[in-house]
Structure formats: C-alpha cells, structure tokens
Amino acid sequence: VLCGVLLGLRLHPRGSLSLVERLWATVRPRLTTTTSLSAALLTEAAQGYAVAPVVRLAEALAGAAGGPTTEGRPSTAVMEAVQAVLAIGHSSGADLLGGLAGCLDALDTIDLLDHSPRLATTRRSLP
C-alpha cells in the first residue's frame, strides 16, 4: 500500500517530491521492522522506481498507451495494466493498486476541498 502511495505522489500532478519526502521520512526509520524485500521495494518506490507492470499502468493512466479512458470507461491499456499489477504476488499487486488508487483519488479531491468553504475551513483547522 505504501509503495502505491509513494508512486501515486509522483504520478499525480498535485503530488510532489515534498510530499514523497515527508512520507518517506516517516517510513524510512521503520524499514527494519519489515522484510528485506519489502524494505527494498519501499526504497525503490520512494525513489520513483517500480516493476514493469506498474510502470505500464502509470503510462496507461497518463495517456501514453492509448489514453486513460474511452467513453467514460477505463481504456483497454489501463484494464490490461491493472490485471498485470493484480497478478503480482499473492496480494502484493492488489495492495499496491489500493495504495495507488487511494492516493490518486485523494489528490483528485484536493480541488473539491479548495472550492468548498465549509471543508476548506475544516481543513485549515486541522493540525
């Protein structure tokens, strides 16, 4: 999930290296509490690297491989890339996809928050 979030922060136009660095500063000290494989994958994601199926998904979402949507539905390229990511590991692909989708969705809602006076006030009041 965290790999997906780290990659999503790099992929989405509202994401930023600053947000990646803030999340990574929290994750990095905890790398010793997970497996060496997970630690390596997290480190790679923080640096913007991903396995080939995830890269293909990012390209499809960005429109480089046939566009992200066709008539309001995900394009064939996106659907094929999603299936390839879901095939990673037993549940790792689904977890990564959940983190990526959640991050992209959250970043999409930022514009909604900026235009809603009630939500913007609530948001500013949060620590």
Side-chain angles (χ1 to χ4, degrees):
V1 173
L2 287 172
C3 285
V5 172
L6 287 163
L7 294 168
L9 290 172
R10 289 178 172 275
L11 179 63
H12 197 284
R14 290 193 185 102
S16 69
L17 290 179
S18 173
L19 291 172
V20 170
E21 290 168 3
R22 288 176 64 188
L23 177 56
W24 184 238
T26 302
V27 172
R28 185 180 48 241
R30 294 169 174 83
L31 291 179
T32 58
T33 65
T34 190
T35 65
S36 59
L37 176 59
S38 292
L41 292 171
L42 284 162
T43 301
E44 296 294 316
Q47 295 172 357
Y49 296 102
V51 295
V54 178
V55 172
R56 284 192 295 276
L57 176 58
E59 290 171 347
L61 289 171
T69 61
T70 304
E71 298 176 11
R73 295 184 317 267
S75 71
T76 301
V78 170
M79 293 307 299
E80 289 173 356
V82 165
Q83 291 305 312
V85 172
L86 289 172
I88 297 171
H90 181 68
S91 64
S92 297
D95 294 340
L96 189 147
L97 194 57
L100 178 63
C103 178
L104 296 176
D105 187 51
L107 290 170
D108 276 345
T109 63
I110 288 173
D111 190 47
L112 297 173
L113 292 172
D114 289 340
H115 292 97
S116 172
R118 185 180 64 75
L119 291 174
T121 301
T122 303
R123 192 170 129 219
R124 280 193 295 267
S125 66
L126 296 174

